[in-house]
Amino acid sequence: MCIKSMLRAWTAAVAFAAGAAGPATSARADEGMWLLTNPPLEQLRSKYGFEPSSEWLDHVQKSCVRFSTGGSGSLVSGDGLVMTNHHVASDIIAKISTSEKNLLASGFYAAARDQEIPCPELELNILWTVEDVTDRVNAAVKPGMKPAEANAARERAIAQITSEAQDKSGLLPEVVALYQGGKYHLYSYKRYTDVRLVMAPEQDIASFGGDTDNFEYPRFSLDMCFFRIYGNGQPLRNDHRLRWSDGSRSGDLAIVVGHPGRTSRLNTVEHLRFIRDVELPDRLETLWRAEVKLQGFSARNAEYDRIASEQLGGVANGRKALTGQLAGLLDPANMDHKIAAEKRLREFVDQDPARREQWGDAWDKIARAQQERRSWAPRYRLLNGGLSSELYQHARDIVRLTEELPKPNGDRLREYRESRLESLYNSLYSPAPIHPPLEIANVEWSLSLLAERLGADDPLVQTALAGKSPRARAEELVNGSTLADPAARRALVEGGASAVAASKDPMIRLAAAMDPAAREIRKRYEDQVEAVERENYAKIAAAKFALEGESTYPDATFTLRMTFGPIEGYEQDGQMLDPYTDFAGLYQRYQDRKGKPGFTLPQRWVEGKDKLDLSTPFNFVSSCDIIGGNSGSPVINTRGEVIGLVFDGNIQSLPGAFIYDGEVNRAVSVDSRAIIESLRKMYGATALVEEILAK
Amino acid sequence: MCIKSMLRAWTAAVAFAAGAAGPATSARADEGMWLLTNPPLEQLRSKYGFEPSSEWLDHVQKSCVRFSTGGSGSLVSGDGLVMTNHHVASDIIAKISTSEKNLLASGFYAAARDQEIPCPELELNILWTVEDVTDRVNAAVKPGMKPAEANAARERAIAQITSEAQDKSGLLPEVVALYQGGKYHLYSYKRYTDVRLVMAPEQDIASFGGDTDNFEYPRFSLDMCFFRIYGNGQPLRNDHRLRWSDGSRSGDLAIVVGHPGRTSRLNTVEHLRFIRDVELPDRLETLWRAEVKLQGFSARNAEYDRIASEQLGGVANGRKALTGQLAGLLDPANMDHKIAAEKRLREFVDQDPARREQWGDAWDKIARAQQERRSWAPRYRLLNGGLSSELYQHARDIVRLTEELPKPNGDRLREYRESRLESLYNSLYSPAPIHPPLEIANVEWSLSLLAERLGADDPLVQTALAGKSPRARAEELVNGSTLADPAARRALVEGGASAVAASKDPMIRLAAAMDPAAREIRKRYEDQVEAVERENYAKIAAAKFALEGESTYPDATFTLRMTFGPIEGYEQDGQMLDPYTDFAGLYQRYQDRKGKPGFTLPQRWVEGKDKLDLSTPFNFVSSCDIIGGNSGSPVINTRGEVIGLVFDGNIQSLPGAFIYDGEVNRAVSVDSRAIIESLRKMYGATALVEEILAK
């Protein structure tokens, strides 16, 4: 359930829209993705007798890691050892694999440090400092500015703030809109790009159960993976790291610290209706198509299966996640809850003339923006996402980057600002292989999608197809492009706008031809939707603070949060589930389902059964409130020790994008004891175990 | 590539729109799905030296069979033995299977006649007489009638003609609009409903290669099946039957006689644009969704896999077929060809004032109808198709039937006219099992689809969901309905409209609540599209006849046609393919691909390899011009002897729905020698072989 980077290319159109302010009702159960700068101390103390010190919070923060592939992780040794999920890293593992040496199939363990494998593209960030810059951002907005002007002014202020911060600290700065404009925080990260693979189990055990068991429980997956951060060619010597626990028991308090990607819990009802009726159906239709297309591609031969497996896995995962989100919004009980909460808040505002004057129009303004975008939202997503093709995405980055770089920092598209460039180059010049057959298949269906949605006679479609069928055009674009070579990409960027203008590369020409329309509709989105949302969600946030106080959490923004709750089972189909599974259950499930897709066990595991203590706890559930992006987060106890590794939510957690139900919403984790038991007995990873367990 | 009956439920919205008149250009190669009443005698004589007599044509016609499951077949003995494809019959085989005795998995052979298994629902038709009723139908239209009035008048005339024909002959009558209104023919069929399964191979060999090899070549599938027609409890004694050949050779003329379902080759350009930009994208989106949903359902356990396999196979087949059709329309070369042909015909019409006066406005009128329906076509398809649920489809038939029966025959919805009732009852009272878990899954996603397309706040969606989530509502509807019991269905029909009005069955109540909106949009389609098309395609047909003469063929209408062409290979990916494969190639493909989905061989075939003559021709291609519905058609030589059994078109044939390309369009058949070799050596079906080979 990480936010797969490959999904981003064509879902990028949906910006991470952070929500409004505070929970819609008083927090139910252990709801909440809390800022570490503002944890619910009273709730933790009264309910769990736990009072984290500021040292505890600072230590945990600096032991946590954000993955550029869209997940979370943690430092588990003083030598830069990082633990995350296999599925957070699997696209990286695919990129360092070949048809001869497929590390997804075989797994990998570097018994010595010189065997650790460098990973192109991968970037890890550790949150180092947090600063409230709300006043400075808002000061940029002058009275009388229209929403679009105000939005541009805020963006320029943010560019200025990040630019100054970077010059001053050398850290990677990021201004985050919390409560979507209620607050702005400057987050500064330590940034690492020399990251090497230490240990990965076989994908068959890491994602045992495949799509069938994804988001389900009981569960039996060893979804773990280890990397090491290097600096100047040496392993990182880090002061902060999580130590290992002796394990957990049912009822223990579990604390998850990680980077939940996106929630929309505080959206207005009309905004949720837009997501329900337009955004999610539109995204799902693209996912269904992609899943079927990729399955057909993969079935052709073993090599195609290998090169498409990551993309297919990401698509299937996204499809299951969004299906659950949509089901949540189509459940009238959830929607009624949202309607009632909104009604309460609006009544509070309307009761008082001053409040009404200040905030009263916010809901209607957001509603109007959502209504108006219904007609053009699918076109926006289509053009803003671009073709589902690595070559096309590179081409577009090159075209845009060379156009943006000469502009003042604050006037650029935000992804090309100074603070983002290092990460962009890291990915743009990556030596990871690009596979022409898969590219052709992806470009073909992307072009067909464009024609189906806009109509084949649309001028933009005619530009894209250039008088050819989608298949013929895809072959021309992919076979004719030099952009699979990172040196060719670098040469164009370094040659600047004139080199791009002179380039005959068909992918560059296509990206350049499509870009004016894509920029136009993006501007429409920013001016007519984003600007209106920022301004009016800020009002709603203020109203919420006035009604409920500030002890509340903002919607998820792929930044560091903590969430907590007991290890506890739940009722499903009339049956009370135990919170733990064990290795014995794994082998039982394998017996029941073997031969079915997703239920293959690696030979090592088939043959090595007797080596294991089968009663070892394998996976467990807790009521921690997580969402996509949290994958790879450590689960710790109150002493800050690792008791598990989050890798999934249960199927009942999927509506959590909009509403949390503590009765059945559960986070699924690998138990710390299963990690050690399998490293020792199955992989003979003695040195790794010693490093992890070192005090 | 048959027209799966299960696909019908939710693709029914798209009526079989027969095309206009004559091929768009002079027939290329062996293009043409010819009426047996008007075969291209001169072409057959001059090109192949073949002059079929009227006796030859009559004999072949009466040896051919139409399957109610949407395919074709032929009589191959004097005792009512019928040969067709396994995939034409597989939904019937699924219906007579249970989890304990799964005939799709095990295959079946009745060594004695008393072991043959009766098949519920299955109806076979043999075309007996053909009469031109064009003048009588057109006489119903009075000067000054608007298109909708004229359409209704024609429908009443057709109802009258079929009613009289049924009373007079006792045969099953059907008035077919050829050249979509250029001509009307009355077809009368012998109708058989006591049909029993004689022999079916295992599905694994019948559809070897699965979705991967579907519509591909080279191919290795034993896609055959045998039934026997009974009358009064005894095997049919039929005078007409096809005899078996000694086999064929490359270059031989192959003749296919069967029931191609639907082509749109003669549609106007603007009509094709509607299909390209609206209809096909809309249908494909439903198919992708269904495929992913059904895969997820099937993966849950072996029994779910069994009960969903037919629907999933049909969906995957439809998805691949429509993907090919869409690719054909997105190829500008094809579209340019259509545009040029239309331009030529319009110039011919415009050259002469009388012709312009008579026919000149036809293209623009059709164009306007297609343009106008763009906005409501998806809603039409959604409501007219109804939920993808056997219970819902039964419920709707019951609601409508009891409402229509009291009306005069000519005023009814056409599917409830007297001539259709026997077939309707045969299917409505079928004892075939309905599986609640699959029904719940199908109803759930159908309800979600409705909400996604119309928006969850649409009044119709609120009616459908009744304040519940799609999942909860699906459970309520399926678990609360008695309609899985054929006796309950019969009681409601016999109780009439008052019994239906009083029924508390939730599926009946839902169908009744949805019906007014469904009828309203259907009427809109009939009045604003169908009526306009009928009237104006008739004009275009007349213009075509005037320009090119009458020696042309109408678009396919799931009625009997003959098509012909040599057995010949074709160039694919730069390689010239041999027209024949053999059993040796089957085992080679199995070695290459085993373990992959669709590439399992039955144990009998794995172990029995040495029994076979591996050089036996297995599948072959000919340039015969076929399409979905032709599946199960016999391939005969000029002596009328069976040389093969059509089961597929190659991937290059899929644009054949709109345009035929003789260079690469090929029909794929099982060779007659492979049928005998496998019946003898693999299945020990001695009696069956003797019956087939009897002179």
Side-chain angles (χ1 to χ4, degrees), chain A residues 211-212 270 273 276-278 280-281 284-285 287-289 291-293 295-296 298-302 305 319 323 326-327 329-333 374 444 447-449 451-457 465 467-470 589 593 596-597 599, chain B residues 211-212 270 273 276-278 280-281 284-285 287-289 291-293 295-296 298-302 305 319 323 326-327 329-333 374 444 447-449 451-457 465 467-470 589 593 596-597 599:
Chain A
D211 181 58
T212 303
E270 209 53 47
R273 286 190 175 122
R276 179 193 67 188
D277 293 345
V278 181
L280 286 176
L284 276 166
E285 278 176 1
L287 289 170
W288 285 314
R289 162 202 296 263
E291 188 163 352
V292 171
K293 297 275 178 191
Q295 284 178 345
S298 299
R300 287 190 225 161
N301 61 56
D305 191 19
R319 176 259 305 157
T323 299
L326 180 60
L329 287 182
L330 285 175
D331 187 338
R374 283 190 173 224
E444 180 186 3
L447 288 171
S448 187
L449 172 69
E452 293 161 42
R453 290 288 170 85
L454 304 183
D457 295 325
L465 288 176
K468 301 191 178 58
S469 69
R589 184 106 180 113
R593 304 288 294 151
K596 301 294 168 193
F599 290 94
Chain B
D211 181 58
T212 303
E270 210 52 47
R273 285 189 176 124
R276 178 194 66 189
D277 293 344
V278 182
L280 286 176
L284 275 166
E285 278 175 2
L287 288 169
W288 285 314
R289 161 202 295 264
E291 189 163 349
V292 171
K293 297 275 178 190
Q295 284 177 346
S298 299
R300 286 190 227 160
N301 62 55
D305 191 19
R319 175 260 305 158
T323 300
L326 181 60
L329 287 182
L330 285 175
D331 187 338
R374 283 190 174 222
E444 181 186 2
L447 289 171
S448 186
L449 173 68
E452 292 162 41
R453 290 286 171 87
L454 303 183
D457 295 325
L465 288 176
K468 301 190 177 59
S469 70
R589 183 105 179 115
R593 302 290 294 152
K596 300 294 167 192
F599 290 93

Side-chain angles (χ1 to χ4, degrees), chain B residues 46-230:
Chain B
S46 65
K47 194 161 174 191
Y48 298 106
F50 174 47
E51 300 183 64
S53 64
S54 57
E55 290 74 29
W56 189 98
L57 291 164
D58 182 65
H59 169 71
V60 166
Q61 173 191 313
K62 290 174 175 164
S63 300
C64 284
V65 172
R66 188 172 71 174
F67 272 68
S68 60
T69 49
S72 301
S74 59
L75 284 156
V76 291
S77 91
D79 289 336
L81 186 69
V82 172
M83 175 173 77
T84 186
N85 292 144
H86 188 275
H87 84 267
V88 166
S90 56
D91 57 341
I92 296 297
I93 300 174
K95 282 176 177 156
I96 57 176
S97 291
T98 62
S99 51
E100 293 76 33
K101 192 166 183 173
N102 182 355
L103 303 183
L104 287 174
S106 65
F108 176 77
Y109 172 53
R113 293 197 179 166
D114 61 2
Q115 294 166 12
E116 295 171 359
I117 306 174
C119 296
E121 285 186 45
L122 187 56
E123 175 178 323
L124 303 191
N125 301 147
I126 299 176
L127 178 60
W128 217 249
T129 64
V130 176
E131 187 187 341
D132 190 323
V133 293
T134 310
D135 292 344
R136 208 177 147 191
V137 171
N138 285 338
V141 180
K142 304 301 173 203
M145 279 182 170
K146 294 214 167 72
E149 292 167 320
N151 204 33
R154 275 190 297 262
E155 285 298 320
R156 276 191 298 273
I158 287 168
Q160 183 65 24
I161 291 166
T162 52
S163 196
E164 285 171 16
Q166 192 170 23
D167 291 346
K168 194 168 136 202
S169 69
L171 298 174
L172 172 70
E174 196 176 290
V175 170
V176 183
L178 298 169
Y179 311 99
Q180 195 160 347
K183 304 230 162 148
Y184 291 88
H185 282 187
L186 169 63
Y187 281 29
S188 294
Y189 295 89
K190 292 208 173 191
R191 176 176 175 274
Y192 301 97
T193 53
D194 185 353
V195 183
R196 306 186 191 174
L197 180 64
V198 176
M199 191 276 157
E202 304 87 343
Q203 189 160 37
D204 280 344
I205 182 68
S207 62
F208 183 78
D211 181 58
T212 303
D213 280 4
N214 193 16
F215 294 113
E216 305 285 348
Y217 202 78
R219 193 71 166 278
F220 311 91
S221 298
L222 189 69
D223 196 349
M224 68 174 192
C225 199
F226 294 89
F227 290 89
R228 192 183 305 285
I229 298 176
Y230 281 71

Side-chain angles (χ1 to χ4, degrees), chain B residues 301-462:
Chain B
N301 62 55
E303 176 63 359
Y304 282 15
D305 191 19
R306 184 184 76 80
I307 63 179
S309 78
E310 272 306 296
Q311 191 186 353
L312 179 53
V315 165
N317 183 66
R319 175 260 305 158
K320 209 162 178 179
L322 297 196
T323 300
Q325 290 185 18
L326 181 60
L329 287 182
L330 285 175
D331 187 338
N334 288 334
M335 216 48 159
D336 289 347
H337 194 85
K338 294 287 184 186
I339 291 168
E342 185 165 299
K343 187 158 173 280
R344 271 196 304 279
L345 184 59
R346 294 191 72 167
E347 280 169 1
F348 165 75
V349 169
D350 287 343
Q351 273 157 18
D352 177 272
R355 292 199 292 256
R356 188 166 63 231
E357 169 69 22
Q358 252 189 305
W359 307 319
D361 61 353
W363 289 268
D364 290 344
K365 287 199 166 161
I366 291 171
R368 209 167 314 129
Q370 303 305 327
Q371 278 296 342
E372 279 167 11
R373 80 199 270 215
R374 283 190 174 222
S375 63
W376 52 266
R379 182 180 171 93
Y380 165 72
R381 207 171 72 76
L382 206 56
L383 297 192
N384 206 47
L387 305 187
S388 173
S389 148
E390 295 188 68
L391 292 174
Y392 182 85
Q393 297 293 329
H394 282 322
R396 190 162 78 166
D397 268 334
I398 292 166
V399 167
R400 289 187 165 179
L401 178 62
T402 50
E403 202 173 326
E404 294 295 304
L405 277 181
K407 297 181 188 171
N409 194 35
D411 292 346
R412 296 180 196 165
L413 295 175
R414 38 176 100 98
E415 62 271 31
Y416 302 107
R417 291 202 192 124
E418 290 301 321
S419 60
R420 305 286 187 95
L421 292 181
E422 277 189 68
S423 302
L424 177 64
Y425 293 140
N426 190 41
S427 120
L428 192 54
Y429 303 151
S430 163
I434 291 174
H435 306 286
L438 179 58
E439 282 285 297
I440 290 171
N442 277 324
V443 171
E444 181 186 2
W445 72 252
S446 295
L447 289 171
S448 186
L449 173 68
L450 200 70
E452 292 162 41
R453 290 286 171 87
L454 303 183
D457 295 325
D458 183 286
L460 206 64
V461 176
Q462 302 218 322

Side-chain angles (χ1 to χ4, degrees), chain A residues 73 92 109 111 153 164 179 220 239 354 414 421 424 456 479 486 522 542 594 606 623 663 689:
Chain A
I92 296 295
Y109 172 54
E164 285 172 16
Y179 312 99
F220 311 91
D239 295 331
R414 36 177 101 99
L421 292 181
L424 175 65
N479 294 335
R522 172 167 168 170
K594 70 181 169 189
V606 173
S623 66
E663 289 294 311
V689 168

Side-chain angles (χ1 to χ4, degrees), chain A residues 488-543:
Chain A
R489 303 195 290 265
R490 185 187 287 268
L492 279 165
V493 171
E494 292 177 355
S498 62
V500 169
S503 169
K504 292 194 167 52
D505 190 291
M507 230 19 136
I508 289 283
R509 292 275 58 84
L510 177 62
M514 305 281 284
D515 210 37
R519 281 176 176 263
E520 186 188 333
I521 201 155
R522 172 167 168 170
K523 183 148 176 32
R524 186 171 182 175
Y525 167 77
E526 287 175 354
D527 288 355
Q528 297 179 14
V529 181
E530 186 186 80
V532 174
E533 287 181 4
R534 282 278 160 97
E535 185 165 303
N536 290 287
Y537 273 121
K539 295 182 201 164
I540 294 175

